[in-house]
Amino acid sequence: MEKIKFLPSTDSDKTRVPHAEVLLDMPDLHPQPARKFIPEWFEKLSAYHIALKRIEFESATIKACRPVQEFLNLGYVIPLWSEHAFKRDTMAGFFYSATKWGVDGHMGDQLGDALKTTNMFQMGNVAKFMNPWQVVTPPGYSCLFIKPFYHFEDRFEIMPAIVNTDKFDSTVNFPALIRSENCGDGFVIEMGYPLVQVIPFKRTDWKSMIERFSDELTKKSEIFRYRMKNTLNLVYHKLCKAETKFK
């Protein structure tokens, strides 16, 4: 089993949360396996609903979808380490961080003209959450940093990226675009909010190939389709599941 480490930063950058080492004594703010941050709506959802109370109309919900379950349990989540506030500048028309520390920014023109071609995000600066945790992985392993999708955050969008965390001996910060149409005059993100999902993976080379189905693959597919059609429920779970543990 490989190990991933989360270390509180000793960086004295004035934009970063000061004295981050105190986070070691605050377990509710520790990065933890993603399974501990399952969205409440998903937890409450029944795996099946039965229309008209008749079993022949039984149908599955997303709760029974094994691929979604595996994604929700994949990797780790970094919860927000302090409350963050964003307010709208009524004169300029854009949002700015009203938090003392833990947020910095990028100039929007670093994205070229991308923000000019969409009305989804505000123009101007790109917010950047100054992560107090340094992430360390074994040699040959990188991390994908993305938003925890199924929490359906509609106020801001974490910009995904891959970092070679076995070589990058510093903290990974998280740029975010503000969805200004959903934010009124401002909003607060609560401490402990599941901010970023961290998915470690081993770097390896791949080569794509385009081929016709061979007789062997055709036979294999026919057998698989037979099993699918003759399995009552949880088909993917029974035929395709893979167990990966994150502790």
mmCIF file of all heavy atoms in Angstrom, residues 4-8 31 76 78 131-137 142-143 145 163-172 174 198 200:
data_model
loop_
_atom_site.group_PDB
_atom_site.id
_atom_site.type_symbol
_atom_site.label_atom_id
_atom_site.label_comp_id
_atom_site.label_asym_id
_atom_site.label_seq_id
_atom_site.Cartn_x
_atom_site.Cartn_y
_atom_site.Cartn_z
ATOM 1 N N ILE A 4 0.405 8.566 1.078
ATOM 2 C CA ILE A 4 0.371 9.972 0.729
ATOM 3 C C ILE A 4 0.430 10.760 2.029
ATOM 4 O O ILE A 4 -0.203 10.384 3.018
ATOM 5 C CB ILE A 4 -0.900 10.325 -0.079
ATOM 6 C CG1 ILE A 4 -0.865 11.793 -0.520
ATOM 7 C CG2 ILE A 4 -2.162 10.020 0.687
ATOM 8 C CD1 ILE A 4 -1.966 12.147 -1.518
ATOM 9 N N LYS A 5 1.217 11.832 2.033
ATOM 10 C CA LYS A 5 1.394 12.614 3.253
ATOM 11 C C LYS A 5 0.845 14.027 3.063
ATOM 12 O O LYS A 5 1.013 14.633 2.002
ATOM 13 C CB LYS A 5 2.875 12.688 3.632
ATOM 14 C CG LYS A 5 3.519 11.340 3.934
ATOM 15 C CD LYS A 5 5.004 11.508 4.263
ATOM 16 C CE LYS A 5 5.670 10.166 4.524
ATOM 17 N NZ LYS A 5 7.124 10.324 4.826
ATOM 18 N N PHE A 6 0.210 14.542 4.113
ATOM 19 C CA PHE A 6 -0.258 15.919 4.150
ATOM 20 C C PHE A 6 0.453 16.603 5.320
ATOM 21 O O PHE A 6 0.252 16.228 6.478
ATOM 22 C CB PHE A 6 -1.774 15.976 4.335
ATOM 23 C CG PHE A 6 -2.547 15.358 3.198
ATOM 24 C CD1 PHE A 6 -2.917 14.019 3.237
ATOM 25 C CD2 PHE A 6 -2.911 16.115 2.090
ATOM 26 C CE1 PHE A 6 -3.630 13.441 2.199
ATOM 27 C CE2 PHE A 6 -3.621 15.544 1.039
ATOM 28 C CZ PHE A 6 -3.982 14.209 1.094
ATOM 29 N N LEU A 7 1.287 17.579 5.000
ATOM 30 C CA LEU A 7 2.083 18.247 6.024
ATOM 31 C C LEU A 7 1.694 19.725 6.101
ATOM 32 O O LEU A 7 1.619 20.393 5.060
ATOM 33 C CB LEU A 7 3.575 18.139 5.714
ATOM 34 C CG LEU A 7 4.193 16.746 5.611
ATOM 35 C CD1 LEU A 7 4.031 16.167 4.221
ATOM 36 C CD2 LEU A 7 5.665 16.800 5.951
ATOM 37 N N PRO A 8 1.444 20.257 7.296
ATOM 38 C CA PRO A 8 1.128 21.690 7.404
ATOM 39 C C PRO A 8 2.321 22.523 6.960
ATOM 40 O O PRO A 8 3.462 22.241 7.324
ATOM 41 C CB PRO A 8 0.818 21.885 8.882
ATOM 42 C CG PRO A 8 1.478 20.740 9.575
ATOM 43 C CD PRO A 8 1.457 19.601 8.606
ATOM 44 N N PRO A 31 -7.095 16.755 5.911
ATOM 45 C CA PRO A 31 -7.426 16.011 4.695
ATOM 46 C C PRO A 31 -7.730 14.564 5.068
ATOM 47 O O PRO A 31 -7.010 13.950 5.855
ATOM 48 C CB PRO A 31 -6.143 16.117 3.865
ATOM 49 C CG PRO A 31 -5.467 17.352 4.373
ATOM 50 C CD PRO A 31 -5.763 17.388 5.840
ATOM 51 N N TYR A 76 -8.740 11.569 -1.706
ATOM 52 C CA TYR A 76 -8.865 12.295 -0.438
ATOM 53 C C TYR A 76 -9.510 13.653 -0.698
ATOM 54 O O TYR A 76 -9.533 14.137 -1.837
ATOM 55 C CB TYR A 76 -7.479 12.488 0.198
ATOM 56 C CG TYR A 76 -6.772 11.178 0.423
ATOM 57 C CD1 TYR A 76 -6.019 10.593 -0.594
ATOM 58 C CD2 TYR A 76 -6.883 10.498 1.634
ATOM 59 C CE1 TYR A 76 -5.392 9.361 -0.403
ATOM 60 C CE2 TYR A 76 -6.261 9.278 1.825
ATOM 61 C CZ TYR A 76 -5.517 8.718 0.802
ATOM 62 O OH TYR A 76 -4.918 7.502 0.990
ATOM 63 N N ILE A 78 -9.535 17.673 0.737
ATOM 64 C CA ILE A 78 -8.971 18.716 1.595
ATOM 65 C C ILE A 78 -10.104 19.663 1.971
ATOM 66 O O ILE A 78 -10.655 20.351 1.107
ATOM 67 C CB ILE A 78 -7.857 19.499 0.878
ATOM 68 C CG1 ILE A 78 -6.682 18.577 0.555
ATOM 69 C CG2 ILE A 78 -7.375 20.667 1.748
ATOM 70 C CD1 ILE A 78 -5.550 19.259 -0.194
ATOM 71 N N ASN A 131 -3.527 26.984 -0.054
ATOM 72 C CA ASN A 131 -3.585 25.731 0.683
ATOM 73 C C ASN A 131 -2.481 25.646 1.751
ATOM 74 O O ASN A 131 -1.296 25.816 1.434
ATOM 75 C CB ASN A 131 -3.433 24.586 -0.331
ATOM 76 C CG ASN A 131 -3.350 23.229 0.292
ATOM 77 O OD1 ASN A 131 -3.897 22.984 1.360
ATOM 78 N ND2 ASN A 131 -2.667 22.322 -0.383
ATOM 79 N N PRO A 132 -2.818 25.365 3.013
ATOM 80 C CA PRO A 132 -1.789 25.254 4.047
ATOM 81 C C PRO A 132 -1.140 23.876 4.125
ATOM 82 O O PRO A 132 -0.249 23.653 4.944
ATOM 83 C CB PRO A 132 -2.572 25.540 5.332
ATOM 84 C CG PRO A 132 -3.940 25.012 5.044
ATOM 85 C CD PRO A 132 -4.174 25.291 3.581
ATOM 86 N N TRP A 133 -1.584 22.933 3.267
ATOM 87 C CA TRP A 133 -1.067 21.567 3.328
ATOM 88 C C TRP A 133 -0.128 21.294 2.163
ATOM 89 O O TRP A 133 -0.473 21.514 1.007
ATOM 90 C CB TRP A 133 -2.201 20.548 3.285
ATOM 91 C CG TRP A 133 -3.144 20.624 4.439
ATOM 92 C CD1 TRP A 133 -4.356 21.252 4.472
ATOM 93 C CD2 TRP A 133 -2.957 20.049 5.737
ATOM 94 N NE1 TRP A 133 -4.939 21.103 5.707
ATOM 95 C CE2 TRP A 133 -4.100 20.372 6.510
ATOM 96 C CE3 TRP A 133 -1.941 19.294 6.325
ATOM 97 C CZ2 TRP A 133 -4.247 19.961 7.822
ATOM 98 C CZ3 TRP A 133 -2.092 18.881 7.636
ATOM 99 C CH2 TRP A 133 -3.243 19.214 8.376
ATOM 100 N N GLN A 134 1.047 20.777 2.465
ATOM 101 C CA GLN A 134 1.928 20.271 1.415
ATOM 102 C C GLN A 134 1.625 18.792 1.218
ATOM 103 O O GLN A 134 1.516 18.035 2.190
ATOM 104 C CB GLN A 134 3.403 20.449 1.789
ATOM 105 C CG GLN A 134 4.353 19.971 0.697
ATOM 106 C CD GLN A 134 5.794 20.357 0.964
ATOM 107 O OE1 GLN A 134 6.051 21.361 1.609
ATOM 108 N NE2 GLN A 134 6.732 19.572 0.466
ATOM 109 N N VAL A 135 1.465 18.389 -0.031
ATOM 110 C CA VAL A 135 1.102 17.009 -0.365
ATOM 111 C C VAL A 135 2.351 16.301 -0.900
ATOM 112 O O VAL A 135 3.016 16.802 -1.812
ATOM 113 C CB VAL A 135 -0.018 16.971 -1.415
ATOM 114 C CG1 VAL A 135 -0.412 15.519 -1.714
ATOM 115 C CG2 VAL A 135 -1.228 17.775 -0.947
ATOM 116 N N VAL A 136 2.654 15.143 -0.330
ATOM 117 C CA VAL A 136 3.850 14.392 -0.714
ATOM 118 C C VAL A 136 3.456 12.969 -1.096
ATOM 119 O O VAL A 136 2.773 12.284 -0.319
ATOM 120 C CB VAL A 136 4.884 14.360 0.439
ATOM 121 C CG1 VAL A 136 6.119 13.567 0.018
ATOM 122 C CG2 VAL A 136 5.272 15.777 0.848
ATOM 123 N N THR A 137 3.881 12.538 -2.274
ATOM 124 C CA THR A 137 3.605 11.178 -2.737
ATOM 125 C C THR A 137 4.925 10.448 -3.028
ATOM 126 O O THR A 137 5.970 11.076 -3.194
ATOM 127 C CB THR A 137 2.747 11.208 -4.008
ATOM 128 O OG1 THR A 137 3.305 12.134 -4.945
ATOM 129 C CG2 THR A 137 1.314 11.618 -3.699
ATOM 130 N N SER A 142 1.825 11.136 -9.045
ATOM 131 C CA SER A 142 1.334 12.505 -9.117
ATOM 132 C C SER A 142 -0.059 12.560 -8.502
ATOM 133 O O SER A 142 -0.621 11.528 -8.108
ATOM 134 C CB SER A 142 1.277 12.986 -10.571
ATOM 135 O OG SER A 142 2.559 12.965 -11.150
ATOM 136 N N CYS A 143 -0.637 13.775 -8.444
ATOM 137 C CA CYS A 143 -1.992 13.937 -7.915
ATOM 138 C C CYS A 143 -2.815 14.809 -8.855
ATOM 139 O O CYS A 143 -2.325 15.829 -9.365
ATOM 140 C CB CYS A 143 -1.973 14.588 -6.536
ATOM 141 S SG CYS A 143 -1.447 13.497 -5.203
ATOM 142 N N PHE A 145 -5.891 17.289 -8.823
ATOM 143 C CA PHE A 145 -6.636 18.127 -7.886
ATOM 144 C C PHE A 145 -7.869 18.664 -8.622
ATOM 145 O O PHE A 145 -7.751 19.397 -9.607
ATOM 146 C CB PHE A 145 -5.766 19.292 -7.402
ATOM 147 C CG PHE A 145 -4.579 18.863 -6.586
ATOM 148 C CD1 PHE A 145 -3.373 18.536 -7.198
ATOM 149 C CD2 PHE A 145 -4.651 18.791 -5.202
ATOM 150 C CE1 PHE A 145 -2.270 18.140 -6.456
ATOM 151 C CE2 PHE A 145 -3.549 18.390 -4.443
ATOM 152 C CZ PHE A 145 -2.363 18.066 -5.069
ATOM 153 N N VAL A 163 -0.371 17.780 -10.477
ATOM 154 C CA VAL A 163 0.919 18.205 -9.932
ATOM 155 C C VAL A 163 1.744 16.962 -9.618
ATOM 156 O O VAL A 163 1.228 15.998 -9.029
ATOM 157 C CB VAL A 163 0.741 19.063 -8.666
ATOM 158 C CG1 VAL A 163 2.098 19.439 -8.074
ATOM 159 C CG2 VAL A 163 -0.070 20.318 -8.983
ATOM 160 N N ASN A 164 3.009 16.983 -9.984
ATOM 161 C CA ASN A 164 3.924 15.886 -9.661
ATOM 162 C C ASN A 164 4.376 16.065 -8.212
ATOM 163 O O ASN A 164 5.436 16.633 -7.928
ATOM 164 C CB ASN A 164 5.110 15.889 -10.624
ATOM 165 C CG ASN A 164 4.670 15.722 -12.062
ATOM 166 O OD1 ASN A 164 3.665 15.063 -12.336
ATOM 167 N ND2 ASN A 164 5.386 16.318 -12.988
ATOM 168 N N THR A 165 3.564 15.570 -7.311
ATOM 169 C CA THR A 165 3.755 15.817 -5.882
ATOM 170 C C THR A 165 4.920 15.029 -5.287
ATOM 171 O O THR A 165 5.231 15.193 -4.107
ATOM 172 C CB THR A 165 2.459 15.485 -5.123
ATOM 173 O OG1 THR A 165 1.896 14.269 -5.645
ATOM 174 C CG2 THR A 165 1.438 16.588 -5.302
ATOM 175 N N ASP A 166 5.558 14.200 -6.084
ATOM 176 C CA ASP A 166 6.785 13.539 -5.628
ATOM 177 C C ASP A 166 7.999 14.417 -5.860
ATOM 178 O O ASP A 166 9.073 14.175 -5.302
ATOM 179 C CB ASP A 166 6.959 12.196 -6.334
ATOM 180 C CG ASP A 166 7.012 12.328 -7.857
ATOM 181 O OD1 ASP A 166 6.515 13.338 -8.399
ATOM 182 O OD2 ASP A 166 7.555 11.422 -8.513
ATOM 183 N N LYS A 167 7.821 15.475 -6.677
ATOM 184 C CA LYS A 167 8.939 16.354 -7.019
ATOM 185 C C LYS A 167 8.713 17.798 -6.576
ATOM 186 O O LYS A 167 9.680 18.532 -6.365
ATOM 187 C CB LYS A 167 9.171 16.331 -8.532
ATOM 188 C CG LYS A 167 9.519 14.955 -9.090
ATOM 189 C CD LYS A 167 9.726 15.012 -10.596
ATOM 190 C CE LYS A 167 10.097 13.645 -11.156
ATOM 191 N NZ LYS A 167 10.327 13.703 -12.627
ATOM 192 N N PHE A 168 7.461 18.200 -6.450
ATOM 193 C CA PHE A 168 7.129 19.582 -6.133
ATOM 194 C C PHE A 168 7.120 19.755 -4.616
ATOM 195 O O PHE A 168 6.136 19.456 -3.942
ATOM 196 C CB PHE A 168 5.762 19.938 -6.730
ATOM 197 C CG PHE A 168 5.404 21.395 -6.613
ATOM 198 C CD1 PHE A 168 6.077 22.346 -7.355
ATOM 199 C CD2 PHE A 168 4.392 21.806 -5.764
ATOM 200 C CE1 PHE A 168 5.733 23.698 -7.254
ATOM 201 C CE2 PHE A 168 4.053 23.150 -5.647
ATOM 202 C CZ PHE A 168 4.732 24.100 -6.399
ATOM 203 N N ASP A 169 8.219 20.233 -4.077
ATOM 204 C CA ASP A 169 8.377 20.317 -2.625
ATOM 205 C C ASP A 169 7.836 21.629 -2.066
ATOM 206 O O ASP A 169 8.538 22.410 -1.423
ATOM 207 C CB ASP A 169 9.854 20.152 -2.248
ATOM 208 C CG ASP A 169 10.387 18.775 -2.617
ATOM 209 O OD1 ASP A 169 9.624 17.807 -2.514
ATOM 210 O OD2 ASP A 169 11.565 18.678 -3.016
ATOM 211 N N SER A 170 6.567 21.861 -2.325
ATOM 212 C CA SER A 170 5.895 23.053 -1.824
ATOM 213 C C SER A 170 4.394 22.781 -1.806
ATOM 214 O O SER A 170 3.954 21.690 -2.189
ATOM 215 C CB SER A 170 6.218 24.263 -2.709
ATOM 216 O OG SER A 170 5.693 25.445 -2.165
ATOM 217 N N THR A 171 3.633 23.759 -1.364
ATOM 218 C CA THR A 171 2.190 23.581 -1.323
ATOM 219 C C THR A 171 1.590 23.774 -2.708
ATOM 220 O O THR A 171 2.114 24.518 -3.534
ATOM 221 C CB THR A 171 1.548 24.590 -0.357
ATOM 222 O OG1 THR A 171 1.956 25.902 -0.729
ATOM 223 C CG2 THR A 171 1.950 24.311 1.071
ATOM 224 N N VAL A 172 0.478 23.095 -2.953
ATOM 225 C CA VAL A 172 -0.273 23.246 -4.188
ATOM 226 C C VAL A 172 -1.471 24.136 -3.879
ATOM 227 O O VAL A 172 -2.307 23.785 -3.041
ATOM 228 C CB VAL A 172 -0.762 21.887 -4.715
ATOM 229 C CG1 VAL A 172 -1.596 22.076 -5.984
ATOM 230 C CG2 VAL A 172 0.417 20.962 -4.979
ATOM 231 N N PHE A 174 -4.934 26.535 -5.071
ATOM 232 C CA PHE A 174 -6.090 26.178 -5.881
ATOM 233 C C PHE A 174 -6.775 27.411 -6.477
ATOM 234 O O PHE A 174 -7.607 28.055 -5.830
ATOM 235 C CB PHE A 174 -7.093 25.397 -5.026
ATOM 236 C CG PHE A 174 -6.480 24.250 -4.265
ATOM 237 C CD1 PHE A 174 -6.628 24.151 -2.890
ATOM 238 C CD2 PHE A 174 -5.732 23.282 -4.913
ATOM 239 C CE1 PHE A 174 -6.064 23.106 -2.183
ATOM 240 C CE2 PHE A 174 -5.158 22.230 -4.221
ATOM 241 C CZ PHE A 174 -5.324 22.140 -2.846
ATOM 242 N N VAL A 198 -8.416 15.116 -3.981
ATOM 243 C CA VAL A 198 -7.042 14.796 -4.369
ATOM 244 C C VAL A 198 -6.984 13.332 -4.775
ATOM 245 O O VAL A 198 -7.267 12.443 -3.967
ATOM 246 C CB VAL A 198 -6.062 15.054 -3.199
ATOM 247 C CG1 VAL A 198 -4.628 14.807 -3.645
ATOM 248 C CG2 VAL A 198 -6.234 16.465 -2.654
ATOM 249 N N PRO A 200 -4.467 10.578 -6.110
ATOM 250 C CA PRO A 200 -3.101 10.173 -6.467
ATOM 251 C C PRO A 200 -3.113 9.089 -7.536
ATOM 252 O O PRO A 200 -4.018 8.253 -7.573
ATOM 253 C CB PRO A 200 -2.541 9.651 -5.141
ATOM 254 C CG PRO A 200 -3.734 9.225 -4.355
ATOM 255 C CD PRO A 200 -4.883 10.072 -4.798
#
